Amino acid sequence: MSKLGDLGARLHRGEVGYDFVGNRKIWYGVSILITITAILGLAVRGLTMGIEFQGGAVFTTPKTSISVAQAEEYAEEASGHDAIVQKLGSGDEASLRIQIAGIDTPAADKVSAKLAEDMDMKQSDVAGELVGPNWGDQVANKAWQGLVIFLVLVVIYLAIAFEWRMAVAAFIALIHDITITIGIYALVGFEVTPGTVIGLLTILGYSLYDTVVVFDSLKEQTKDITKQTRWTYSDVANRSINSTLVRSINTTVVALLPVAGLLFIGGGVLGAGMLNDISLSLFVGLAAGAYSSIFIATPLVADLKEREPQLKALKKRVLAKRAQADQDQDHAADGSYDDDSEEATPAVVGPRAQAGPRSRGRSGRRR
């Protein structure tokens, strides 16, 4: 058995474990810090919306040795607007894709002619395409509608399949994943395209999948938890995370590998722009989803559940029993049990306790 497989088996049997729930305040603090950073990045820098959302023109050149920076300079001089240039391919065999937002048809014709002149090409070789903002707006509106409907259905389903506390925890974890992903786009300045929106919607399902696996294990292990006094709900929640930890790592790595291939090889090396848009949001979202299912969702469930009176009482009983066990162990270790028993014994049992009545009896007979 591999080392990872052996570790997974030991985690599943509870022979070893990491205290995720016990250290939840640390993870909450880390997540709050990341989320605030993401929100600040979004508020200060904003999102770089693609041309599909703003409207404008896209020009594609034939294979050229002109650099991206040089082409960007040519495009901005020709149009008077900011330009985004992407290289399609590698080396001297690469062509260029130039996006310029906010220009109409007459302006696009002039820009095309100027670009061809600056790049020493025929104007007919520079292919131009106008993109209206309406299409991007429709995609964005439909995406928001789909996101809201998705979240409502997910919360209802989880509340029915599990319980409302788990639904709330999963909902918070989803918002956490979405916020971090959007914040990274704002901070790094990645362009948001319809492909990004599709990738963002896709990661929601994966994030939930990992969370539901842990919740299912937790539900199974806490069926009769109030009938014992050995474990608190947090203990069992921690064990559920540990028992599914290796599975979560395996599924996350397997999911990230092809996405990383799309991102770094498809988008980075081969220059396939649409692959880059989708794979980047998938890559960030998958990593955030795996993190939240382990460090956020399940500890939140434990916090919410232990507010229930019966589980709060169970926690008190378990902690009291452990404190008593520790005290007994300390006494056994330093031998104080023997001393205490010797001091306490004469007061409650033994010959001296029975001497009083006998002596009173004798004195009575003497009288």
Side-chain angles (χ1 to χ4, degrees):
M1 186 181 289
S2 67
K3 288 184 179 178
L4 188 61
D6 181 53
L7 175 62
R10 295 179 66 197
L11 286 168
H12 187 74
R13 292 193 297 267
E15 294 173 2
V16 293
Y18 302 98
D19 195 4
F20 298 104
V21 177
N23 296 316
R24 59 187 177 276
K25 290 184 179 176
I26 296 175
W27 307 122
Y28 290 166
V30 171
S31 291
I32 290 171
L33 185 64
I34 295 174
T35 305
I36 290 175
T37 305
I39 292 172
L40 285 177
L42 187 61
V44 174
R45 294 176 58 91
L47 290 172
T48 305
M49 303 305 289
I51 198 169
E52 294 87 352
F53 296 100
Q54 303 180 63
V58 179
F59 303 98
T60 307
T61 71
K63 295 172 183 175
T64 177
S65 59
I66 295 174
S67 68
V68 170
Q70 186 65 59
E72 196 172 283
E73 185 180 339
Y74 288 150
E76 290 178 354
E77 285 179 358
S79 64
H81 292 77
D82 291 337
I84 298 174
V85 180
Q86 295 173 300
K87 183 176 278 191
L88 307 178
S90 59
D92 293 340
E93 298 299 314
S95 58
L96 298 174
R97 184 174 186 266
I98 304 169
Q99 297 180 47
I100 304 174
I103 61 175
D104 53 16
T105 303
D109 292 337
K110 292 179 183 175
V111 171
S112 176
K114 187 70 168 66
L115 279 176
E117 180 186 342
D118 291 341
M119 294 182 177
D120 195 20
M121 300 173 181
K122 296 179 182 176
Q123 186 176 354
S124 58
D125 290 339
V126 180
E129 181 184 1
L130 283 173
V131 179
N134 292 335
W135 184 73
D137 287 343
Q138 288 177 5
V139 171
N141 290 332
K142 296 296 181 186
W144 282 116
Q145 291 173 15
L147 178 63
V148 171
I149 293 170
F150 169 82
L151 291 176
V152 170
L153 291 177
V154 161
V155 169
I156 292 173
Y157 172 75
L158 289 178
I160 294 172
F162 297 99
E163 60 172 294
W164 68 266
R165 293 171 185 82
M166 291 184 173
V168 169
F171 178 77
I172 292 173
L174 276 177
I175 298 299
H176 167 273
D177 298 345
I178 294 172
T179 306
I180 289 178
T181 306
I182 294 176
I184 287 177
Y185 265 79
L187 287 169
V188 182
F190 292 138
E191 187 180 11
V192 177
T193 68
T196 305
V197 177
I198 294 168
L200 193 64
L201 293 175
T202 305
I203 64 172
L204 300 179
Y206 182 86
S207 175
L208 271 178
Y209 170 78
D210 219 24
T211 302
V212 166
V213 169
V214 182
F215 283 0
D216 192 50
S217 170
L218 181 57
K219 181 183 176 184
E220 183 65 27
Q221 293 190 44
T222 55
K223 271 183 180 175
D224 300 317
I225 190 169
T226 55
K227 296 179 180 176
Q228 51 82 50
T229 55
R230 190 177 178 189
W231 308 110
T232 65
Y233 192 92
S234 291
D235 295 332
V236 181
N238 196 62
R239 184 169 178 172
S240 296
I241 298 174
N242 278 286
S243 65
T244 55
L245 182 62
V246 171
R247 178 178 175 176
S248 296
I249 293 173
N250 285 337
T251 53
T252 301
V253 170
V254 168
L256 281 177
L257 283 176
V259 175
L262 289 174
L263 177 62
F264 297 112
I265 298 176
V269 178
L270 301 179
M274 181 60 81
L275 286 182
N276 217 352
D277 299 341
I278 296 175
S279 57
L280 185 60
S281 56
L282 283 175
F283 190 85
V284 176
L286 287 175
Y291 168 82
S292 67
S293 65
I294 296 171
F295 296 100
I296 303 298
T298 309
L300 269 177
V301 172
D303 273 338
L304 293 172
K305 286 291 290 182
E306 288 192 334
R307 293 173 188 271
E308 294 180 17
Q310 65 270 27
L311 292 179
K312 194 184 287 185
L314 172 66
K315 186 175 181 179
K316 283 184 181 176
R317 292 199 302 273
V318 172
L319 295 181
K321 187 177 178 183
R322 287 178 187 171
Q324 183 62 47
D326 290 342
Q327 194 176 8
D328 292 346
Q329 200 170 18
D330 291 342
H331 288 163
D334 61 17
S336 57
Y337 257 151
D338 297 336
D339 296 341
D340 289 344
S341 59
E342 285 175 3
E343 291 175 2
T345 299
V348 292
V349 293
R352 276 191 288 176
Q354 298 170 359
R358 280 199 296 268
S359 87
R360 280 196 300 272
R362 287 188 198 107
S363 63
R365 283 194 295 271
R366 283 171 188 162
R367 278 197 299 260

